[in-house]
Amino acid sequence: MNYAETLQYLYVRTPAFHRVGADAYKPGLERSRALDDALGRPSAAYPIVHVAGTNGKGSVSHLLAATFQAHGLRTGLYTSPHLIDFSERIRVDGQPIPQQRVVDFVAENAHLIDRLEPSFFELTTAMTFDYFRRCEVDIAVIETGLGGRLDSTNIVTPILSVITNVSLDHTQYLGDTLAQIAAEKAGIIKPGVPVVVGEVDDKAVRRVFADKGDECDTPIFWAEEEDVLRKVRPLPDGRWEFESTEFGTLIGELGGSFQVANARTVLTALNIFFHPPVLRKILPEAVRQGFAHVVEMTGLAGRWQTIARRPTIVCDSGHNVGAWSRLRPLLKETAKRHARLHMVVGMSSDKDITAVLRLMPPRATYYFTQADTDRALSSDELAKLGAKAGLQGTAYATVPEAIRAAQAAATTDDMIFVGGSHFVLADALPLLTQN
């Protein structure tokens, strides 16, 4: 099989959550452990930083990876979902896994696929561990897919665990209270492995993490309480200036007010990770490089990403209530600098759509759309729900149609926002970046 045929085989042979949702969810670690054992336990071949959380885990993972790369470490990075091509999920020093390695891995392990019947994510995780071992990485940053306790990545014993935050998402799998979801995220906490927790706004959530830390006899570092940032200043171009206590002044490339919390989490993690003095001698410059050039170094996309000017076009996945709680004030503030706001939005059908729509700005023109995935809510249905939430606009059958309509209506002084799910960005970015 060639690369396209191999991917099609994977999507058909192994259930893919990003395509079909609940039908692909296979809780439990038995298949993941069996795959890892059959491959000679590649997950134990290098140090790992394990990252979980409802929101922010992608930005935190990429910032950590960029800093490790700048420090001179050969760095593996595993994230999901991909936006345009499957190979984006698995990177070494920012470069996606070669397509031929994907083809070869599937061909070499067809017997395991037939015998163990893993999910798409389980097989992809095994492929990742195997590829990182082949590349002889010095360290890997592994992002969980869903939850933590029963996530396929949770067969690892990391040197550091990071939990960015907890909010309501995937409630049908993780529980319908913050404490229940926190318990699933806390499942990545291992005996003796230090843990960084980014944000905790709920006492019950904090108690869950604290109790798990006590149970595992491991220290928990609460990033909000760590003295890692002296001053924070937004820059006119959307970036951030961070005056850190350990690493000097940092310019954060990623936009959005939520990046302040992400920066605290990353800096807390780096304080722990680079404790030996021999590494501290060269670390500050690595941190500066990682923060300032994370997009170029790791291929990160879709996090309050400015695609164009005049009109301004900004993309952000914004796929759940937690994300929109942060995006709402940011959009409100950014829209003040533009004549009109155009919102191209689509959502997956398994999200809390009504709650998300209530957080979107009412003073905007909406272009309701649907991504090319089975999980997408139809644009017509989204438009109806939007109208009930006081959002006025028109339904478009595809993301490109919606974007073209917004571009046709916008003047050079306007702003176009594109988001609502990773899948919308997957359809949007090829169109937007070719212009």
Side-chain angles (χ1 to χ4, degrees), residues 416-434:
I416 300 172
F417 174 87
V418 181
S421 83
H422 289 92
F423 310 113
V424 169
L425 297 192
D427 291 352
L429 287 175
L431 174 67
L432 293 173
T433 55
Q434 74 182 11

Side-chain angles (χ1 to χ4, degrees), residues 26 146 160 169 172 219 227 256 272 308 377 420:
K26 288 188 172 186
L146 182 65
L160 178 67
D169 194 21
Q172 64 271 52
D227 183 23
I272 298 168
L377 183 71

Side-chain angles (χ1 to χ4, degrees), residues 94-299:
Q95 297 303 308
I97 183 173
Q99 293 181 354
Q100 190 58 47
R101 175 82 292 257
V102 176
V103 173
D104 291 345
F105 179 87
V106 172
E108 292 162 3
N109 296 286
H111 63 291
L112 290 177
I113 299 172
D114 290 339
R115 177 163 62 87
L116 298 174
E117 297 189 341
S119 71
F120 178 88
F121 190 73
E122 288 168 339
L123 187 65
T124 301
T125 301
M127 184 189 303
T128 299
F129 292 147
D130 178 74
Y131 181 62
F132 288 171
R133 180 177 60 183
R134 288 172 180 270
C135 292
E136 298 182 342
V137 300
D138 297 310
I139 190 167
V141 180
I142 304 294
E143 178 192 85
T144 61
L146 182 65
R149 181 176 65 92
L150 299 177
D151 188 78
S152 304
T153 63
N154 203 30
I155 62 172
V156 305
T157 300
I159 60 171
L160 178 67
S161 300
V162 179
I163 303 173
T164 57
N165 55 44
V166 174
S167 62
L168 294 176
D169 194 21
H170 297 301
T171 54
Q172 64 271 52
Y173 314 110
L174 306 181
D176 54 11
T177 70
L178 291 176
Q180 289 174 331
I181 295 174
E184 294 300 316
K185 308 292 184 186
I188 73 167
I189 298 175
K190 305 293 196 309
V193 178
V195 183
V196 173
V197 175
E199 296 177 282
V200 179
D201 299 325
D202 185 274
K203 290 182 179 179
V205 168
R206 185 181 177 106
R207 174 49 52 196
V208 168
F209 291 143
D211 288 348
K212 187 65 175 181
D214 291 341
E215 177 189 327
C216 292
D217 192 24
T218 193
I220 294 183
F221 297 84
W222 310 95
E224 292 174 307
E225 300 173 5
E226 294 291 314
D227 183 23
V228 294
L229 284 177
R230 290 195 182 99
K231 292 182 181 179
V232 175
R233 184 169 71 92
L235 299 177
D237 60 3
R239 297 181 300 166
W240 288 91
E241 181 180 87
F242 302 113
E243 186 181 327
S244 71
T245 54
E246 293 288 338
F247 313 117
T249 300
L250 312 172
I251 302 300
E253 182 179 22
L254 303 181
S257 57
F258 36 83
Q259 295 302 339
V260 176
N262 291 337
R264 286 187 180 277
T265 303
V266 170
L267 293 174
T268 301
L270 292 174
N271 278 344
I272 298 168
F273 182 84
F274 283 104
H275 184 68
V278 66
L279 292 175
R280 279 189 179 271
K281 292 179 182 178
I282 58 173
L283 180 61
E285 179 58 28
V287 179
R288 286 193 285 271
Q289 289 292 319
F291 269 68
H293 303 290
V294 59
V295 172
E296 175 187 352
M297 294 178 69
T298 66

Side-chain angles (χ1 to χ4, degrees), residues 83 302-304 315-320 323-324 327 346 417-425:
L83 289 180
R303 269 68 169 189
W304 196 254
C315 292
D316 193 286
S317 56
H319 62 289
N320 56 33
W324 275 97
L327 282 172
F417 174 87
V418 181
S421 83
H422 289 92
F423 310 113
V424 169
L425 297 192

